[in-house]
Amino acid sequence: MAHPLLILRMQIPIRYVHIVLSLLMLSFMAVQWNDPDGILWMIIYAVPMLWTAIAAFAPERLMRPSTRRLLAGFFLGALVATIYFWPKTPHWWTGDVWKTVETAREGMGMMIVAMVLLAVLLTGKARERSGEYRDR
């Protein structure tokens, strides 16, 4: 039952990595409840949460050409949003800044969204190269 794609040569199936990422995105959604633009950010974090859930529980769906194009579109959208929300505050990566500057947190949030979507995209690409689900 172990998946052939393993992280860092450890015996951790990629499925579990996607489950953890999905739960992480769900937790990001949960802490947005008191944010002035919380609904927007809940929707933003829901996108990678759903894609990681698909990668974890229905990975064969990532092999469909239309699904791959849709995922690539969401990833490109996340890249554009990352550029748009990129923190303009000097030293935005330091704790003193991102704890107090909302735009720095939003920029880092979009970076995380883009990286999670990239992980799903690369997982699907690796499965495609390995021939997994070819006959499905």
Side-chain angles (χ1 to χ4, degrees), residues 91-101 105 108:
H91 304 287
W92 55 266
W93 58 86
T94 61
D96 292 338
V97 173
W98 63 259
K99 287 179 184 174
T100 58
V101 180
R105 287 192 302 273
M108 288 188 295

Side-chain angles (χ1 to χ4, degrees), residues 31-95:
V31 298
Q32 298 301 317
W33 68 274
N34 65 345
D35 196 313
D37 54 355
I39 297 295
L40 170 68
W41 285 96
M42 285 180 191
I43 293 168
I44 289 171
Y45 289 128
V47 170
M49 189 265 308
L50 292 172
W51 281 109
T52 53
I54 291 169
F57 298 108
E60 68 279 358
R61 292 182 184 215
L62 293 177
M63 298 300 100
R64 296 178 184 162
S66 58
T67 306
R68 304 264 319 137
R69 284 191 298 272
L70 185 61
L71 174 57
F74 275 109
F75 173 66
L76 289 175
L79 282 180
V80 170
T82 298
I83 292 167
Y84 177 79
F85 285 106
W86 192 266
K88 291 157 185 62
T89 308
H91 304 287
W92 55 266
W93 58 86
T94 61

